[in-house]
Amino acid sequence: MNIENFFLMLGWLGELIFASWVLSYGAEHLSMRFGAKFVGRTLLSVATTLPEIAIVMYAASVGLYEVAIGAGLGSNVLMMTLGLALMLLIATTKLSKAPLTRIDVSTFKVDKIFLLVSALISAILLVDGYNFIDGFIFIGMFVGYVLIAYVEMKREQKISRPTVMHVADNQSVSSSEYTLSNRNDMAKAILAFIVGTIGIVIGAGPFIHSLQTFSEDIGVSTIVLAVIISPIAGEMPEKISMMILARKGAAGAAIAIANVLGSKILNNSLLLGVAVIAAMYHGGFFTTIHNSELLWFQMILATTITVVALIPLFRHYIGIKVGIFLIALYILSIIVQFFAPGEIKPH
């Protein structure tokens, strides 16, 4: 075993943890101005998915279409099961600074429906392959989701109840939960969010590469590397940010839930749109990412896991029992992955 690869992996993991902490700090404080759902759905989802977007763009631009599409599908399976489960286990146990007995997910109805619909649409469109028309549909879905999130955020700002009370000129004055105390707080939050995002973009690639090299050094098989280690490594920034937020109580858990749902909607829309555009760059405007036995297997698995994982989320509350269920679902998905047919070939 090359000890240098091991320490290099730990070094980049440390960089990712720090960057994710800075990012979560920025997200938490921005949520005081824009709301937890909007920040988690959009800003945090895009920030933590940037490394994955880069991987998809590169893979599709060199003709590795199965890798490009599979990256998004694998991410959905991982985060809708293990990622969400870890967040629940942290938020509802003593691992959290303010443990919750359960988490209210009733306010995420739009996100849950949008995720379900986007997963089904992406599966249906794959039947005859993805082309430029599908690319526009995917990007349109993402833009529509962001607009819905923005409209909902503005509506909630108008009807939100005041949360901070203080006395000024012998009168009781309230300030909205969507207001940071001053411009300096807003500037710090934005700066922290930007710095954290840059740190994740810088550290994600080297960490994934060092982990893969270390895995090969200790003799991990290719299938284990592809099915288990690589997806976990690729989603490391999002998982770390989620776990940090989950430790901060109800507000942090709300951002984390919004991040999971928002990032998976992004995978079913913007990420697939990016893959189609990169494929058009590689093979021309009318290039089609053809369906294949391997790709269809991954799509059916990801869609099924997404639908099953969403079932308990349509309840009013979720807790530690749902987390245990999702871990079992993740283990099942890993077992099924070992029966995936075919091989990845460049186009």
Side-chain angles (χ1 to χ4, degrees):
M1 180 180 73
N2 190 336
I3 195 67
E4 292 182 4
N5 288 331
F6 175 71
F7 284 114
L8 186 63
M9 178 189 69
L10 292 182
W12 283 113
L13 177 60
E15 191 271 350
L16 276 181
I17 292 174
F18 178 74
S20 297
W21 177 82
V22 175
L23 181 66
S24 67
Y25 172 88
E28 182 183 18
H29 286 74
L30 284 175
S31 69
M32 297 170 63
R33 174 64 180 83
F34 300 108
K37 284 198 295 182
F38 183 77
V39 171
R41 285 166 161 176
T42 57
L43 300 178
L44 192 60
S45 294
V46 172
T48 55
T49 311
L50 281 175
E52 194 172 351
I53 292 175
I55 292 172
V56 168
M57 287 181 63
Y58 173 77
S61 67
V62 297
L64 294 172
Y65 301 152
E66 284 90 352
V67 173
I69 303 299
L73 299 178
S75 168
N76 281 7
V77 171
L78 178 68
M79 295 308 294
M80 285 301 296
T81 54
L82 182 61
L84 190 56
L86 289 176
M87 189 280 294
L88 286 171
L89 293 176
I90 291 173
T92 57
T93 64
K94 293 183 179 180
L95 292 172
S96 171
K97 295 178 181 178
L100 305 167
T101 55
R102 54 186 182 173
I103 299 175
D104 185 355
V105 292
S106 61
T107 59
F108 296 98
K109 184 177 180 180
V110 171
D111 307 83
K112 291 177 284 191
I113 293 175
F114 215 102
L115 177 55
L116 179 61
V117 171
S118 64
L120 294 175
I121 289 177
S122 63
I124 293 170
L125 293 180
L126 182 62
V127 172
D128 60 350
Y130 293 148
N131 56 29
F132 71 96
I133 297 177
D134 300 320
F136 292 138
I137 292 174
F138 290 136
I139 293 175
M141 283 198 301
F142 179 72
V143 172
Y145 175 66
V146 172
L147 289 176
I148 290 173
Y150 177 78
V151 170
E152 191 172 287
M153 181 264 290
K154 297 300 290 185
R155 185 172 63 249
E156 289 177 351
Q157 283 182 336
K158 292 181 180 179
I159 65 176
S160 61
R161 290 180 298 177
T163 57
V164 180
M165 303 293 296
H166 59 278
V167 176
D169 298 328
N170 297 321
Q171 292 184 341
S172 178
V173 180
S174 62
S175 58
S176 170
E177 64 173 321
Y178 291 96
T179 304
L180 287 176
S181 59
N182 55 53
R183 291 184 179 180
N184 287 336
D185 288 341
M186 174 63 81
K188 290 178 182 178
I190 294 174
L191 180 61
F193 193 90
I194 293 174
V195 170
T197 300
I198 293 174
I200 285 175
V201 172
I202 292 174
F207 171 71
I208 293 172
H209 176 73
S210 62
L211 178 61
Q212 290 175 334
T213 303
F214 174 70
S215 300
E216 292 168 358
D217 286 344
I218 61 177
V220 172
S221 68
T222 304
I223 185 66
V224 172
L225 185 62
V227 172
I228 302 176
I229 297 177
S230 292
I232 291 177
E235 287 296 324
M236 188 62 72
E238 187 172 347
K239 287 196 293 292
I240 293 174
S241 297
M242 261 183 25
M243 289 186 286
I244 292 173
L245 287 167
R247 294 191 69 244
K248 297 183 178 182
I255 301 175
I257 292 286
N259 181 30
V260 173
L261 297 175
S263 64
K264 298 317 113 191
I265 291 171
L266 184 152
N267 283 3
N268 290 334
S269 54
L270 180 63
L271 199 67
L272 292 178
V274 167
V276 172
I277 292 172
M280 291 163 59
Y281 169 81
H282 172 72
F285 187 83
F286 295 101
T287 296
T288 297
I289 299 178
H290 294 289
N291 197 356
S292 67
E293 190 179 14
L294 175 60
L295 200 52
W296 188 243
F297 177 90
Q298 296 291 340
M299 176 61 77
I300 294 299
L301 176 62
T303 304
T304 302
I305 292 294
T306 297
V307 172
V308 174
L310 275 172
I311 292 174
L313 267 67
F314 275 99
R315 299 175 182 172
H316 197 93
Y317 298 98
I318 57 175
I320 194 168
K321 291 182 179 179
V322 174
I324 296 172
F325 165 74
L326 293 176
I327 289 177
L329 191 60
Y330 172 69
I331 294 173
L332 178 62
S333 72
I334 291 297
I335 295 173
V336 174
Q337 285 273 16
F338 280 86
F339 296 94
E343 297 179 358
I344 295 174
K345 299 178 181 179
H347 295 270

